[in-house]
Amino acid sequence: MTDHITRGRRDTRPLHYAALTDTVQMTVPESDMVRQRCRTIVTRLTGTALHDDRLLYAAEHLATHLPSRLRTKLLTLRDRGNVDGALLIKGLPIGELDDTPHHPSEEPAWWDVPVASLVQLSIMSILGSPISYAEEKAGQLIQDVYPQDGAEQKQENSGSVLLELHTEDGFLRTPPDYLSLLCLRSDHERRAATVACGIRRVLTGIPAEMLAILRRPRFQIAFSSSFVADSQPRWTQPLPVLTGPTDDPNLCVDLHGMVALDDQAEQALNVLQELMEANLVGGVLEPGELLIVDNNSAVHGRTDFTPHYDGRDRWLRRCFVTNNLRRVRADIINGRMLRSRERDTVPG
Ligand SMILES: O=C(O)CCC(=O)C(=O)O
Ligand SMILES: [Fe+2]
């Protein structure tokens, strides 16, 4: 049995990335129109919980007014995927902003950032149903992502060291199918790049014997510290990194929190890591840019940056969706908040 040494404890290193190719740019009139429509929803629903169906369905109806070019891109990502497992939407309205929060107590209610909240929910509703996990960030359906004083070294989105490539919540039985990150504010030096790599981009570079190993249950993932109440290390059962179709597999990996259970598995994971790091796409997100990651076929991470804690720090908002709410309905505690269950062992 492994001694469970995580692989991610290496020095910060530069990551190189190419610009994302699958992008949609909203025009100014399109963006203004969406902003106006958001305003009418806010007038009606301020004070309603984000988990309330009335609000979620209002966001879903709003999606019918998004430009058809954008809707088609989202539908294509949903149905066909793409080689990088990522889509960037630019020029979205985000509305007026206060200071970046420093602490959870300063995080805004959705009606304090209504345009950003509704735009993100509405876009994500084309890909699936928004969900959250009770154990993470109090089950908020849209989560504020900002650097936290004292958390700099953490491999979480509150940290500011290099956040290693990962599948989101890969240790759970029902991880999100897609996640989105909406940028409200970039970091001061514009260094913090969100990066991603799709498995389809690197598949042909992985030798056949390594592919076979990646399909065996010879890996374990540590639960993220945000999911473990007593901060005792907790590990999944052994699981494979790759499952499903040969030419379009599902990927579940965490380059910080995963251990390989033997030397061959470790070698295969190293090969995968090198290939993924050599084939990253991404960029420093600008206000009004929304990055969507297909969590079944791509990993994502973030380069390091320096927080200033002056109210003008980097600020993103994150939202997850499942593409099959029926499958997780028994786990719902409240609204769309799920009790988290550990990933089942999948035979390799
Ligand atoms: O901060 C970022 O760009 C990405 C953070 C991240 O991986 C996440 O919030 O899931
Ligand atoms: Fe993440």
Side-chain angles (χ1 to χ4, degrees):
M1 198 56 187
T2 172
D3 59 0
H4 282 145
I5 296 172
T6 53
R7 3 185 21 259
R9 305 206 184 285
R10 280 154 295 163
D11 289 339
T12 282
R13 57 201 186 284
L15 287 184
H16 302 287
Y17 50 86
L20 275 137
T21 50
D22 206 0
T23 61
V24 187
Q25 173 79 53
M26 296 277 285
T27 65
V28 173
E30 285 169 347
S31 182
D32 286 346
M33 180 273 294
V34 173
R35 183 187 294 109
Q36 285 309 325
R37 289 199 175 266
C38 289
R39 296 262 172 240
T40 59
I41 301 174
V42 184
T43 312
R44 208 158 37 90
L45 291 174
T46 289
T48 310
L50 214 44
H51 278 277
D52 191 310
D53 280 352
R54 282 174 297 170
L55 191 90
L56 293 170
Y57 294 149
E60 205 155 331
H61 293 313
L62 173 64
T64 61
H65 298 284
L66 293 172
S68 64
R69 194 173 81 262
L70 169 58
R71 293 172 51 78
T72 302
K73 276 278 188 200
L74 290 161
L75 294 171
T76 310
L77 180 71
R78 184 191 69 185
D79 296 340
R80 305 233 169 253
N82 68 20
V83 70
D84 292 317
L87 171 66
L88 180 65
I89 305 167
K90 304 181 192 197
L92 291 166
I94 52 173
E96 321 248 292
L97 296 181
D98 232 324
D99 280 0
T100 302
H102 282 102
H103 184 266
S105 63
E106 297 172 7
E107 293 170 8
W110 76 261
W111 53 85
D112 296 327
V113 272
V115 176
S117 303
L118 289 166
V119 162
Q120 188 166 16
L121 280 178
S122 145
I123 290 177
M124 292 305 277
S125 74
I126 296 179
L127 295 169
S129 307
I131 49 161
S132 64
Y133 303 99
E135 287 78 358
E136 189 176 50
K137 310 226 184 204
Q140 294 173 77
L141 210 52
I142 299 183
Q143 302 150 13
D144 293 284
V145 175
Y146 53 90
Q148 281 184 45
D149 214 347
E152 290 81 0
Q153 302 296 319
K154 282 194 178 172
Q155 280 292 313
E156 289 183 17
N157 62 21
S158 53
S160 38
V161 293
L162 169 70
L163 181 58
E164 300 281 351
L165 297 175
H166 57 281
T167 297
E168 197 63 40
D169 297 337
F171 46 89
L172 295 181
R173 187 163 87 178
T174 53
D177 291 306
Y178 300 93
L179 67 122
S180 66
L181 294 161
L182 175 61
C183 179
L184 302 190
R185 203 167 265 144
S186 313
D187 64 305
H188 293 78
E189 284 81 22
R190 303 174 44 69
R191 276 171 54 101
T194 308
V195 291
C197 178
I199 187 66
R200 275 153 65 174
R201 178 68 72 191
V202 296
L203 204 53
T204 53
I206 309 173
E209 65 278 14
M210 301 271 176
L211 279 176
I213 293 167
L214 292 168
R215 284 181 172 275
R216 303 287 305 153
R218 285 157 77 166
F219 308 87
Q220 284 176 284
I221 306 184
F223 276 60
S224 163
S225 44
S226 52
F227 278 81
V228 186
D230 53 9
S231 62
Q232 286 301 305
R234 190 170 158 203
W235 295 84
T236 61
Q237 297 299 307
L239 48 86
V241 165
L242 299 179
T243 52
T246 318
D247 56 350
D248 186 13
N250 295 313
L251 169 70
C252 179
V253 71
D254 184 328
L255 295 178
H256 171 76
M258 185 172 245
V259 283
L261 297 179
D262 55 68
D263 288 348
Q264 277 185 321
E266 175 69 19
Q267 270 176 26
L269 200 51
N270 284 337
V271 166
L272 180 64
Q273 171 161 13
E274 273 171 34
L275 279 167
M276 290 194 306
E277 290 189 359
N279 286 280
L280 294 173
V281 290
V284 176
L285 296 178
E286 304 269 353
E289 291 187 352
L290 179 83
L291 179 68
I292 297 174
V293 179
D294 175 346
N295 200 39
N296 291 305
S297 71
V299 286
H300 66 283
R302 190 213 59 239
T303 63
D304 69 295
F305 68 105
T306 309
H308 291 214
Y309 306 122
D310 60 355
R312 287 285 171 274
D313 271 318
R314 183 173 190 261
W315 185 7
L316 308 185
R317 302 190 85 227
R318 185 175 75 166
C319 175
F320 299 149
V321 297
T322 176
N323 58 21
N324 187 347
L325 191 62
R326 178 69 187 89
R327 193 173 42 127
V328 298
R329 218 154 64 193
D331 291 333
I332 290 179
I333 296 173
N334 165 38
R336 305 298 170 93
M337 186 199 299
L338 308 182
R339 139 183 345 108
S340 54
R341 290 183 194 273
E342 181 182 331
R343 189 177 270 267
D344 297 330
T345 313
V346 188

